[in-house]
Amino acid sequence: MLALKIAWRNIFRHRGKSLVIGSILALGALLLTLGNSVISGMEKGLEKSVVESFTGDIILVSQDQIDDNVILDMAGKPLEDIFRYDTIKPYLENSGLFTGFVPAGKDFVMALNEHGGTPGFAFLLGINFADWQKVFPDNLELLQGQWPQSTGLIIPSGSLEILYTTMGTWFSPPHSELDSSFMPKDAKENYGNLRVQNDIVFMGHSATNTATDIRMTVDAVVKYKALNVIWGHFILTDINSYRQSMGYFNQDEEQEEISAENLALLSFDSDNLDALFGNDMDFEEMFSQESVSPEKEEFVPKTEEAGVYQMIFTRIKPEINRQAAMDSLNRLFAQEDIPLRPLTWQTASGVIGSMSILIKASLNVFVAFLFFVAIIIIVNTLSMAALERTSEIGMMRAVGARKGFIARMFMLETGVLAFVFGNLGVLLGFIVVLVIRSLNITTDNDMLQLFFGGDTFNPTFGLADLLLTYAQLAAVTILAALYPINIARKITPLDAISRE
Amino acid sequence: MNIVAIEALTKDYSLDSTTVHALRGVDLNIKSGELLSVMGPSGSGKTTLLNIIGCVDTPTSGKVEVAGTDIGSLKDKELTDLRLRKIGFIFQTFNLIPVLNTLENVEFPLLLMKEQSATDIRRKAKDLLHAVGLGDHLHHRPAELSGGQRQRVAIARALVTEPALVLADEPTANLDSATGASILDLMVQMNQSLGTTFLFSTHDPDVQKYAQRIVKIHDGLIQDD
Ligand SMILES: Nc1ncnc2c1ncn2[C@@H]1O[C@H](COP(=O)(O)OP(=O)(O)O)[C@@H](O)[C@H]1O
Ligand SMILES: [Mg+2]
């Protein structure tokens, strides 16, 4: 093809310009490859460290639950209750959608400060340990203490740090040596004089608007293997202790079992409580905003699973598309009149969802900026090239070459450069990605963890990313060539002749 | 038969606020097979006249027919095709595509036409290059040729499409007199052997001995035919 032949030879004839454009394209392709790999690695990583660690694929909440942000919302109302899980469970089992699911109670609790300082706050997740571990196997690492059996308290290091910062108390399992390796800096510095406690008093809001509380011994300190900075906010306890602390009934009990100690604490009236907390916050109001469902007070469950929960974590079978699962669940709940609502993990984990969107957006802004700079430089260089070749182009036009031929020639020249140097850049980018992966870069920083999509920086570059990068490169090339090509098209034979 | 028929042709250029009347009413007919020279001093309008005949510039007024087509109403694409098929150009300088060799430069217009097979095109280009005396420079790039050799390539390229008319605006202006003479000789020879119509301009009175017919132009008007 004539235009290709001329374009190809012009690349070598104008080596300098070709190299400038080629280098920009190669650099652009390299950075695009990296950017796309980081974005894609982040997405895959987040999914792994969010879905497999904590949220599951789809979270089921009560039909009455209005706010979707059910996992990390600190300020919102308590979650609506799910009743009679025991009657719902068979439907979920028969749906054929899940590899596993586990119900949980989840609420915001206050940790009373028995030393008269500020109280601490945490999320309390009430679960059946064994069932939960089946759905989220191997997501915890034991740092200190012992795994509890059916009842007990598991505190992640992240929560220890938060509680220490607000309360000034370090919680530690009994009969085990203090371990400073997961302590925050000032706790480490204060190691000898740390105020250490083996048990912790939680106060939840109760169904009857009376604060109830429960004293629990710390069994284990753990670390979430992925995104500990986020999931570390969730203290784990067995569902019965959870219900007790929240003032729900457990099975086989007419009355909450309240220990002598707890009774002592309960006897504070509200003025004394304020004095105890040592500040002006109105905790009673804060903890009494919940709407009280009448059933809740009256209902005394016969089995553990008949009691109250707030959410059900589910893992979808890998071969089933998440959206399809959402649709089936919506249909199932409507058909069988089950008062549940499914939420995708992205919707349910609002903060993470929006943070990852934010990070992704900044990466995309970076990519767009790259686009912009690359296009400007290429437009400039190509326009100069077109003008420099005015005589040559005008002569071709005089001899009978149409505008389209000139345009094709330029497009091919840019296209060949983009193909060769673009692939070079992609290849280099891919090598950089492989190097980064082999370095196994890890971080404890929470922002970086979101950026990494987990603890480890694992950019990935698959076929989809390759195609995306090619599409972006093609867009850069076409956009950058449009203006110079138009300049070249407009060159007339007269422009060439008048130069003589 | 008239290859070129011009009636009352004028061409004005507006430069800033003043208007330059480059052609001020030219009538001219050129017959098929003629070898015609437009002669006049610098600035007399030779280039303007040849540009309009060559369909690279448009008249201000008047009627211009080239190879039977009135060019006044043609669009860019039609003008381009007319140039490709009916007109051969020989410029003073910058005649050739730098990245193509001699043979490829001559083949260029035929390749644009896409009407003949590659082997036919090659054979035709080679024959013409032999005829203009460049049979052993087929694979040289323009930069490797002398000025006279380049003009010979330009002549071969202008002739390869078998055009109705070959236009040459002062083709020897950048050549020494001996080389210039040989180029003009070649044009005469081609005019005689192929019967192609040639129109060249010159400001050099010595050149007139090569032409069959001389048209003298002065201040945009034809003085003497
Ligand atoms: N593009 C142009 N713009 C303005 N004036 C022009 C242009 N081309 C030619 N002229 C003027 O037209 C007149 C004829 O020019 P030209 O045809 O180039 O003469 P010649 O080729 O005989 O030297 C001159 O006065 C010249 O200055
Ligand atoms: Mg001139």
Side-chain angles (χ1 to χ4, degrees):
Chain A
M1 192 181 153
L2 185 59
L4 182 62
K5 189 201 270 180
I6 297 175
W8 177 255
R9 292 190 190 168
N10 268 326
I11 288 175
F12 292 95
R13 178 173 155 84
H14 306 277
R15 272 177 220 99
K17 286 209 171 53
S18 304
L19 268 180
V20 170
I21 296 173
S23 312
I24 305 270
L25 282 167
L27 188 68
L30 184 138
L31 293 173
L32 278 178
T33 305
L34 284 181
N36 289 333
S37 305
V38 169
I39 292 176
S40 147
M42 183 184 116
E43 277 179 340
K44 291 199 181 78
L46 265 186
E47 192 153 328
K48 210 171 144 58
S49 35
V50 175
V51 172
E52 289 176 21
S53 273
F54 196 85
T55 65
D57 299 283
I58 291 175
I59 291 116
L60 309 179
V61 294
S62 162
Q63 209 173 42
D64 302 327
Q65 175 63 33
I66 293 164
D67 187 7
D68 285 345
N69 185 6
V70 294
I71 292 186
L72 287 160
D73 187 26
M74 310 251 180
K77 289 180 175 181
L79 301 183
E80 295 295 334
D81 296 326
I82 297 173
F83 301 102
R84 294 307 303 266
Y85 168 71
D86 56 335
T87 62
I88 296 169
K89 191 179 175 184
Y91 288 107
L92 299 181
E93 270 167 351
N94 293 333
S95 72
L97 294 170
F98 307 109
T99 53
F101 53 88
V102 61
K106 187 218 136 188
D107 211 333
F108 204 45
V109 288
M110 184 163 69
L112 295 189
N113 196 330
E114 293 163 89
H115 304 276
T118 333
F121 293 93
F123 286 120
L124 193 61
L125 198 70
I127 45 172
N128 178 308
F129 290 138
D131 292 351
W132 193 69
Q133 283 292 291
K134 259 182 246 156
V135 178
F136 302 106
D138 205 31
N139 62 343
L140 297 178
E141 181 189 328
L142 184 68
L143 296 178
Q144 200 191 354
Q146 279 168 354
W147 292 114
Q149 294 305 305
S150 56
T151 62
L153 188 68
I154 302 173
I155 304 193
S157 53
S159 291
L160 277 186
E161 189 175 330
I162 295 165
L163 293 176
Y164 174 76
T165 317
T166 49
M167 302 171 72
T169 307
W170 188 259
F171 295 95
S172 175
H175 323 297
S176 72
E177 214 171 304
L178 278 186
D179 182 347
S180 66
S181 64
F182 48 85
M183 282 183 185
K185 217 174 119 219
D186 54 332
K188 255 182 214 165
E189 283 162 4
N190 209 12
Y191 188 79
N193 307 315
L194 270 184
R195 187 167 72 204
V196 179
Q197 246 179 257
N198 298 133
D199 45 27
I200 183 166
V201 179
F202 285 123
M203 186 166 89
H205 60 284
S206 96
T208 49
N209 279 350
T210 332
T212 58
D213 54 60
I214 177 168
R215 177 179 295 276
M216 299 182 81
T217 303
V218 179
D219 291 288
V221 175
V222 296
K223 172 181 184 293
Y224 285 88
K225 284 182 181 169
L227 288 183
N228 187 49
V229 279
I230 294 166
W231 310 133
H233 286 92
F234 289 87
I235 296 176
L236 303 168
T237 187
D238 59 282
I239 182 69
N240 291 322
S241 305
Y242 167 84
R243 286 187 190 139
Q244 220 174 336
S245 77
M246 297 298 159
Y248 295 108
F249 289 107
N250 278 304
Q251 74 275 18
D252 305 328
E253 64 176 358
E254 290 291 325
Q255 207 79 43
E256 289 166 57
E257 296 163 6
I258 299 170
S259 68
E261 268 171 328
N262 292 343
L263 275 172
L265 271 165
L266 276 174
S267 66
F268 284 115
D269 65 20
S270 110
D271 284 349
N272 287 340
L273 271 175
D274 282 347
L276 184 69
F277 300 148
N279 64 31
D280 296 333
M281 278 173 79
D282 195 342
F283 293 110
E284 274 197 304
E285 194 177 72
M286 195 172 150
F287 278 79
S288 65
Q289 283 171 351
E290 169 207 26
S291 59
V292 179
S293 148
E295 308 152 62
K296 193 160 149 185
E297 288 172 80
E298 291 151 17
F299 180 68
V300 179
K302 296 278 179 292
T303 63
E304 177 183 303
E305 292 192 336
V308 168
Y309 294 97
Q310 274 83 37
M311 58 212 310
I312 303 167
F313 297 104
T314 72
R315 289 306 311 273
I316 303 295
K317 285 181 180 164
E319 68 271 19
I320 297 176
N321 171 285
R322 236 175 243 151
Q323 193 49 52
M326 286 291 286
D327 295 342
S328 319
L329 284 172
N330 276 317
R331 262 196 312 274
L332 175 73
F333 296 159
Q335 251 167 36
E336 303 294 342
D337 227 1
I338 300 170
L340 289 185
R341 198 159 74 86
L343 296 172
T344 62
W345 70 265
Q346 290 98 330
T347 324
S349 59
V351 185
I352 298 183
S354 31
M355 277 309 291
S356 62
I357 288 169
L358 197 78
I359 294 175
K360 212 175 138 178
S362 356
L363 279 170
N364 279 322
V365 167
F366 167 75
V367 166
F369 177 73
L370 218 77
F371 252 67
F372 190 68
V373 174
I375 287 177
I376 293 210
I377 298 177
I378 297 174
V379 164
N380 244 310
T381 319
L382 274 181
S383 305
M384 268 165 55
L387 287 175
E388 260 172 32
R389 295 186 213 167
T390 298
S391 307
E392 192 178 329
I393 293 168
M395 182 268 297
M396 287 181 181
R397 297 276 287 119
V399 168
R402 289 185 186 176
K403 284 180 175 176
F405 181 84
I406 305 294
R408 206 152 58 237
M409 212 173 62
F410 259 80
M411 196 68 233
L412 285 167
E413 198 172 319
T414 322
V416 167
L417 284 176
F419 182 80
V420 172
F421 285 90
N423 272 309
L424 186 77
V426 169
L427 191 73
L428 286 177
F430 187 63
I431 292 171
V432 173
V433 167
L434 289 182
V435 168
I436 291 176
R437 290 174 69 97
S438 73
L439 289 178
N440 218 7
I441 303 168
T442 57
T443 185
D444 287 330
N445 178 289
D446 44 354
M447 279 306 288
L448 271 181
Q449 286 206 349
L450 276 180
F451 180 71
F452 289 4
D455 308 339
T456 315
F457 192 30
N458 244 346
T460 57
F461 195 71
L463 184 64
D465 307 300
L466 180 72
L467 293 179
L468 176 66
T469 309
Y470 274 158
Q472 289 168 330
L473 268 179
V476 169
T477 311
I478 290 168
L479 283 175
L482 277 180
Y483 179 74
I485 282 178
N486 205 36
I487 290 184
R489 276 171 61 96
K490 283 190 179 145
I491 293 173
T492 65
L494 268 186
D495 293 327
I497 293 164
S498 61
R499 284 212 171 183
E500 288 190 357
Chain B
M1 195 194 105
N2 283 338
I3 294 293
V4 177
I6 298 174
E7 270 173 51
L9 168 65
T10 70
K11 177 71 184 180
D12 297 341
Y13 291 110
S14 38
L15 255 186
D16 299 327
S17 54
T18 63
T19 305
V20 180
H21 304 287
L23 296 175
R24 301 190 291 170
V26 170
D27 298 305
L28 180 67
N29 290 317
I30 301 172
K31 289 197 177 61
S32 180
E34 272 188 317
L35 193 152
L36 183 143
S37 166
V38 175
M39 207 157 71
S42 187
S44 56
K46 305 182 295 292
T47 300
T48 307
L49 180 62
L50 262 68
N51 283 348
I52 291 172
I53 297 173
C55 303
V56 296
D57 206 350
T58 50
T60 303
S61 72
K63 194 173 167 196
V64 179
E65 266 183 37
V66 177
T69 311
D70 185 343
I71 64 164
S73 56
L74 296 187
K75 297 194 186 67
D76 180 75
K77 207 177 230 173
E78 296 158 331
L79 286 173
T80 307
D81 286 351
L82 190 69
R83 289 197 299 267
L84 176 63
R85 281 155 208 288
K86 303 290 182 193
I87 301 165
F89 283 94
I90 301 162
F91 303 106
Q92 267 175 41
T93 53
F94 221 91
N95 262 304
L96 306 176
I97 300 167
V99 295
L100 298 184
N101 65 27
T102 303
L103 194 55
E104 291 163 338
N105 261 293
V106 175
E107 289 175 341
F108 183 75
L110 287 182
L111 290 171
L112 287 179
M113 271 195 216
K114 293 182 188 149
E115 280 168 3
Q116 301 171 34
S117 74
T119 40
D120 283 354
I121 291 174
R122 179 127 299 195
R123 207 198 50 241
K124 212 166 194 167
K126 270 187 185 168
D127 288 351
L128 265 170
L129 280 166
H130 280 289
V132 300
L134 283 176
D136 45 2
H137 289 79
L138 297 182
H139 300 289
H140 289 60
R141 293 269 177 101
E144 299 160 346
L145 300 174
S146 70
Q149 287 170 325
R150 278 184 231 165
Q151 290 307 72
R152 284 167 189 270
V153 180
I155 292 171
R157 194 215 25 222
L159 290 169
V160 78
T161 56
E162 296 168 25
L165 171 71
V166 173
L167 292 169
D169 190 12
E170 305 204 34
T172 60
N174 285 334
L175 302 175
D176 61 72
S177 53
T179 316
S182 74
I183 293 301
L184 288 166
D185 275 334
L186 180 61
M187 284 168 56
V188 172
Q189 183 198 327
M190 289 295 153
N191 169 258
Q192 281 164 2
S193 62
L194 302 174
T196 311
T197 315
F198 275 83
L199 170 59
F200 68 92
S201 71
T202 181
H203 63 269
D204 181 359
D206 285 355
V207 167
Q208 49 185 291
K209 62 175 183 273
Y210 294 94
Q212 288 170 0
R213 177 181 164 200
I214 295 163
V215 172
K216 286 195 175 142
I217 187 167
H218 194 79
D219 274 347
L221 280 171
I222 290 182
Q223 302 263 302
D224 192 8
D225 196 339

